[in-house]
Amino acid sequence: MEFYEVFTDLRKKMGFSQNQVADELHVTRQAVSRWERGETIPEPETLLALSRLFDVSVNTLLGSPRALVCQSCGMPLSDEFLSREADGTLNEKYCKWCWDDGRFAQDCTMEEMVEHCIPNMPLGQSDPEACRAYMRGLLPTLERWKTP
Ligand SMILES: [Zn+2]
């Protein structure tokens, strides 16, 4: 999906007119109709404002070009699992179980995170040892645990 398809879809689903979106975002109605014709896409700041207005991630607005993964526990992130900053903005880096109110929900080591995740994963229930090995390989590649 392209931005204009996602945008037009969400706008209609949420019952906004082009004018209302333009007012909310402080842009012209012409700008909004150019987005819907696929001629332009909004500036980054406007995308963020749209993300707040529609309550979806910027990644979703852009047609999900990136497969988001929580950079703390490795869980695949769809919008419903994204965490939020203290001001309500969606955080596209961490899941809602790892990040809360502008900081990490658990202050833990990588090994503690591995143990924390295992019971919540299907593989962890059927084969905890294999799951542990998998998580020990995955977590060091994530931003929270990467050593510079
Ligand atoms: Zn997480």
Side-chain angles (χ1 to χ4, degrees):
M1 291 248 274
E2 300 285 332
F3 167 78
Y4 74 93
E5 299 169 275
V6 178
F7 172 76
T8 309
D9 231 49
L10 282 171
R11 178 179 70 70
K12 290 181 178 160
K13 222 179 271 173
M14 303 198 54
F16 284 105
S17 67
Q18 290 192 353
N19 274 323
Q20 284 169 320
V21 172
D23 283 350
E24 291 283 342
L25 300 181
H26 311 291
V27 297
T28 60
R29 202 192 62 80
Q30 286 78 359
V32 175
S33 84
R34 276 201 297 275
W35 300 341
E36 294 205 356
R37 290 198 301 270
E39 293 171 9
T40 57
I41 65 166
E43 300 291 313
E45 312 83 79
T46 310
L47 276 174
L48 258 178
L50 252 185
S51 149
R52 279 191 212 112
L53 182 65
F54 289 170
D55 204 31
V56 298
S57 64
V58 170
N59 192 52
T60 293
L61 284 173
L62 292 176
S64 309
R66 293 177 296 146
L68 299 178
V69 164
C70 174
Q71 292 299 308
S72 162
C73 70
M75 155 170 168
L77 292 174
S78 55
D79 281 3
E80 58 187 314
F81 298 138
L82 290 180
S83 59
R84 289 173 191 276
E85 298 300 347
D87 67 0
T89 316
L90 286 168
N91 176 315
E92 303 192 17
K93 226 189 248 180
Y94 299 115
C95 77
K96 60 185 180 186
W97 292 281
C98 286
W99 189 259
D100 187 32
D101 216 14
R103 58 195 176 85
F104 286 115
Q106 307 92 358
D107 185 17
C108 60
T109 64
M110 192 175 86
E111 193 54 34
E112 284 165 350
M113 179 57 83
V114 169
E115 295 305 322
H116 177 73
C117 291
I118 286 174
N120 300 315
M121 298 171 69
L123 180 63
Q125 282 165 21
S126 60
D127 190 347
E129 234 358 271
C131 188
R132 193 167 287 125
Y134 167 76
M135 291 301 279
R136 281 181 181 148
L138 173 67
L139 293 196
T141 68
L142 303 175
E143 212 162 294
R144 183 176 181 185
W145 313 109
K146 242 187 236 168
T147 36

